[in-house]
Amino acid sequence: MEECIFCQIAAKKIPAQLVYEDAELVAFEDIKPQAPIHILIIPREHFPSLNEVPEEKKSILGRALLVARQIAQEKGIADSGYRIVLNTARDSGQEVFHLHFHLLGGRRMSWPPG
Ligand code: AMP
Ligand code: ZN
């Protein structure tokens, strides 16, 4: 079976602008940024979406949020503000079916989202 695109990025089989990595998580620049700062945080392990994350893997979700916070601090947007997005399944507009958090910042954002 062909590996998904984010599995390939995590394995460094295809290039990305990495901003963080550890044994469980990888963060990299979104290829089509929707804000001055737009970074994706992914687990190395493949889960198609939040819907498929089992209870025993829940710690990865908390870790991903704290890595997003750390990157926000490093990028200087912790105080000005940022948005973390986790699109899940069809109605959210999810396009890549490997769990990922979006970290967006560097501009004022509107609410409600589109
Ligand atoms: P989503 O709609 O939540 O599934 O978001 C998928 C995101 O992945 C989009 O913001 C895309 O721009 C981004 N993306 C897709 N392919 C790549 C890639 N090869 N490198 C970096 N970001 C990507
Ligand atoms: Zn994957």
Side-chain angles (χ1 to χ4, degrees):
M1 199 183 88
E2 201 179 310
E3 250 186 344
C4 96
I5 188 157
F6 286 0
C7 282
Q8 292 182 69
I9 286 174
K12 299 199 173 124
K13 289 178 184 164
I14 63 170
Q17 289 292 113
L18 294 197
V19 298
Y20 176 89
E21 64 177 320
D22 63 30
E24 293 180 321
L25 296 165
V26 179
F28 54 92
E29 307 270 1
D30 195 291
I31 206 167
K32 203 175 145 198
Q34 303 299 321
I37 292 167
H38 187 173
I39 289 163
L40 303 175
I41 299 101
I42 67 167
R44 290 188 186 276
E45 187 169 355
H46 181 92
F47 305 106
S49 81
L50 182 61
N51 287 339
E52 290 80 23
V53 178
E55 177 75 17
E56 66 269 22
K57 295 292 173 74
K58 66 185 175 192
S59 68
I60 199 71
L61 301 172
R63 287 212 59 237
L65 285 173
L66 293 186
V67 165
R69 179 182 72 179
Q70 179 185 320
I71 295 168
Q73 287 163 348
E74 289 167 3
K75 296 284 184 185
I77 56 167
D79 292 337
S80 55
Y82 54 92
R83 184 173 291 175
I84 293 169
V85 172
L86 174 50
N87 290 325
T88 304
R90 186 193 57 229
D91 279 356
S92 73
Q94 184 180 3
E95 288 179 350
V96 176
F97 287 84
H98 179 127
L99 177 71
H100 54 280
F101 291 82
H102 297 254
L103 169 65
L104 297 146
R107 67 167 171 82
R108 191 68 189 252
M109 280 170 234
S110 57
W111 191 264

